[in-house]
Amino acid sequence: MPVSLNMRMSMPSWFDIYGLNPDANEDEAGIKRASENIKALIDQEVKNGIPSHRILLGGFSQGGALSLYTALTTQQKLAGVVALSCWLPLRKSFPQASASCPNKDMHVLQCHGDADPVVPFMFGSQTAEKMKSLVNPANITFKSYRGLPHSACPEEMVDVKRFIEKQLPAIGDE
């Protein structure tokens, strides 16, 4: 889709991005539409016999942002979220933890490179702090990677693998 920040040129994108600063306007309609699409996929998996508590959302950059937002707004109880090099979109719409949120106890692994020029490291660390006010803070893990730009690294992938193995044990181990 065309992305405003990319001179309106088309690129793979979940929603439009107007700017990369904390005060930039956000594509609220696009974020909510993309989240509803993810929720429909979750609902379909549940209909196919996958318990929602065995579904983990994850993504990089916009995908991570959308994963966090969707986990906080879905009525399905999820296994958790892997959020890489991202931020929490529409963060001001989440004033505090909601006792009725089915994912208030979910586990979140958030990873961010300290040399990220696209989604500044500060956005990632501020997101982790905001998440601690929305879900059980003991379940939020924020990992930083020295010198890592807006990409992934082998150390990060090992951390992701360990997190997934912990959150989604083999069916026979439950």
Side-chain angles (χ1 to χ4, degrees), residues 4 12 38 40-41 48 55 72 90 117 144 159 161 170:
S4 297
I38 299 300
L41 291 171
N48 289 338
I55 297 173
L72 292 172
L90 304 177
S144 62
D159 290 337
K161 181 177 186 274

Side-chain angles (χ1 to χ4, degrees), residues 5-162:
L5 189 67
N6 195 30
M7 298 177 292
R8 300 284 313 146
M9 294 191 311
S10 289
M11 60 183 278
S13 183
W14 286 101
F15 49 86
D16 198 2
I17 300 177
Y18 305 131
L20 289 175
N21 64 61
D23 300 321
N25 288 332
E26 295 183 274
D27 178 13
E28 183 173 355
I31 292 164
K32 289 180 175 180
R33 184 173 44 254
S35 180
E36 289 304 317
N37 289 337
I38 299 300
K39 290 174 191 175
L41 291 171
I42 294 167
D43 290 344
Q44 188 58 51
E45 291 302 315
V46 170
K47 285 179 189 166
N48 289 338
I50 307 293
S52 68
H53 72 274
R54 293 203 44 88
I55 297 173
L56 190 141
L57 299 182
F60 177 84
S61 196
Q62 273 193 334
L66 185 59
S67 295
L68 289 171
Y69 180 84
T70 301
L72 292 172
T73 59
T74 186
Q75 292 307 303
Q76 298 277 12
K77 182 170 175 54
L78 302 173
V81 174
V82 174
L84 310 177
S85 301
C86 68
W87 70 99
L88 178 61
L90 304 177
R91 67 193 176 285
K92 293 176 185 166
S93 67
F94 300 103
Q96 61 191 24
S98 169
S100 64
C101 176
N103 291 309
K104 66 184 182 304
D105 291 316
M106 74 175 166
H107 289 260
V108 175
L109 172 63
Q110 191 183 340
C111 303
H112 213 109
D114 68 2
D116 190 332
V118 178
V119 179
F121 181 77
M122 177 188 68
F123 290 6
S125 60
Q126 288 174 344
T127 291
E129 289 308 307
K130 178 69 173 179
M131 290 298 295
K132 288 177 183 177
S133 75
L134 300 174
V135 300
N136 183 342
N139 295 344
I140 305 294
T141 302
F142 181 76
K143 293 192 164 249
S144 62
Y145 302 89
R146 188 168 188 76
L148 183 67
H150 195 64
S151 62
C153 67
E155 179 187 358
E156 182 181 33
M157 292 300 101
V158 168
D159 290 337
V160 168
K161 181 177 186 274
R162 287 182 181 144

